[in-house]
Amino acid sequence: MSSMSIDLHTHSSASDGALSPLELVREAAQLGISVLGLTDHDTLAGIPAAQEEARIVKIELVPGIEFSTEVGVSEIHILGYYVQESKVVNDLLLLLKNVRLERIILMIKKLNQLGIDLNPEDVLESSKNGVYGRPQVALALMRKGIVGTVEEAFQKYLAYGRPAYVPHYKLSPWEAISLIREAQGIPIYAHPGVSQRDDLIPSFAKAGLAGLEVFYPQHNEAQTERYLNIANSLSLLVTGGSDFHGEGKSSSTLGYPDLPQKYYEKFKKFALHLDVHKALG
Ligand code: AMP
Ligand code: FE
Ligand code: FE
Ligand code: ZN
């Protein structure tokens, strides 16, 4: 790996990742990653432990979060970097956490109605922090021998349109973008190639979107090129990351794809600029 390797999109056990924040940071340092973004779903709970370990192993930790939002049947993920905690932010995160818990219970009920024997405890015991998502349900189904793989659990039961699917709390991408901006954070449209709603990018930009996650494992060369061009034409930042969830939990590899340093420098400059505004009040 190059001397400066940058991965701005990862998950820990604070949400649906396999490694604790400390283990994730250690693993990143061992791989030669110099800048690591921790972007757990709907929670900032993993950040303090990750920060502390990052100081010890001397890598830069970029604090982040990933919100799941909806537009019609499309799911849009919005990353927020350097979000400042406040009552508004913490109230929303608590609401999202509670709704995620109710959502898991509802998924289990739907699975039970399909004749599958699964109890809330089978799922809830696996996660310490309590920001639950479908991956924890998938793993519980695997432990019970009901499916062979996480992928099979999604395809048979949990994916959109499958019989145990339950939608998220309805947050719109525009709401997430505003919230992140109000919290002095940097909103980035995560893996746009997965959502396939490029038609919405100009309207996100008008609402305060700061950038696109261009470098992403599932983006092919043509998509990467396309999003670089869109970012360029709308004066948006360019970010990238692996979306690593831990070995075996996702096919992604920590540190891949690498975000080229020149884009990170622009991102950092933008963050420092926001900092100056914060300092000036
Ligand atoms: P949720 O937060 O409950 O909507 O779950 C979404 C998360 O599930 C994503 O962030 C991924 O970590 C994971 N995921 C989504 N689709 C799949 C899939 N087809 N196979 C494995 N994991 C998936
Ligand atoms: Fe995830
Ligand atoms: Fe995502
Ligand atoms: Zn992610």
Side-chain angles (χ1 to χ4, degrees):
M1 215 164 264
S2 67
S3 61
M4 176 118 183
S5 166
I6 300 161
D7 185 342
L8 293 182
H9 188 159
T10 66
H11 295 267
S12 76
S13 58
S15 65
D16 60 358
L19 301 180
S20 73
L22 180 146
E23 290 165 338
L24 176 71
V25 170
R26 260 188 209 169
E27 178 85 8
Q30 266 162 19
L31 289 171
I33 289 167
S34 48
V35 182
L36 181 76
L38 177 61
T39 53
D40 275 309
H41 300 283
D42 297 343
T43 184
L44 295 166
I47 303 292
Q51 280 288 16
E52 194 182 325
E53 187 61 19
R55 272 191 286 272
I56 294 168
V57 296
K58 296 189 170 59
I59 72 171
E60 184 181 345
L61 194 280
V62 176
I65 190 163
E66 182 175 23
F67 290 111
S68 305
T69 76
E70 281 178 32
V71 180
V73 300
S74 305
E75 192 169 318
I76 308 273
H77 290 185
I78 303 289
L79 295 160
Y81 293 100
Y82 301 108
V83 164
Q84 302 280 303
E85 284 190 60
S86 66
K87 180 158 168 32
V88 174
V89 169
N90 291 337
D91 284 354
L92 176 70
L93 297 187
L94 187 63
L95 174 75
L96 293 176
K97 179 175 167 173
N98 290 335
V99 173
R100 273 180 174 275
L101 182 60
E102 289 164 17
R103 178 170 169 254
I104 294 296
I105 303 296
L106 211 59
M107 274 181 219
I108 292 167
K109 277 203 184 125
K110 288 192 165 194
L111 288 165
N112 293 158
Q113 281 160 9
L114 294 167
I116 291 166
D117 171 34
L118 191 71
N119 302 306
E121 306 82 67
D122 299 329
V123 176
L124 305 185
E125 72 189 9
S126 68
S127 199
K128 302 130 230 170
N129 185 271
V131 174
Y132 298 103
R134 287 173 286 171
Q136 287 101 328
V137 179
L139 286 172
L141 289 170
M142 245 178 92
R143 281 195 298 273
K144 289 223 142 186
I146 294 157
V147 295
T149 62
V150 166
E151 194 54 45
E152 188 188 338
F154 272 86
Q155 273 166 19
K156 276 197 179 149
Y157 304 113
L158 304 174
Y160 179 79
R162 305 310 300 150
Y165 176 78
V166 181
H168 285 107
Y169 175 78
K170 287 203 187 332
L171 189 67
S172 84
W174 297 277
E175 285 171 321
I177 291 165
S178 305
L179 179 95
I180 293 164
R181 280 290 192 171
E182 278 158 26
Q184 279 91 51
I186 305 180
I188 303 285
Y189 181 5
H191 44 71
V194 174
S195 298
Q196 307 256 0
R197 290 304 306 264
D198 298 355
D199 57 312
L200 298 174
I201 295 175
S203 124
F204 293 167
K206 274 206 192 95
L209 187 80
L212 301 180
E213 186 176 55
V214 173
F215 296 91
Y216 190 73
Q218 281 153 259
H219 287 172
N220 61 31
E221 240 174 87
Q223 285 172 313
T224 304
E225 193 64 28
R226 172 176 171 72
Y227 292 118
L228 276 177
N229 287 333
I230 296 175
N232 193 36
S233 70
L234 295 173
S235 299
L236 294 170
L237 297 169
V238 169
T239 72
S242 64
D243 210 353
F244 181 72
H245 282 74
E247 298 305 339
K249 272 196 118 176
S250 61
S251 51
S252 54
T253 307
L254 190 55
Y256 178 83
D258 192 16
L259 175 66
Q261 197 175 339
K262 66 171 180 179
Y263 298 115
Y264 181 64
E265 276 164 14
K266 282 191 192 152
F267 174 85
K268 199 68 200 174
K269 220 180 217 175
F270 188 88
L272 288 172
H273 184 78
L274 286 182
D275 264 353
V276 170
H277 283 272
K278 276 173 221 167
L280 294 173

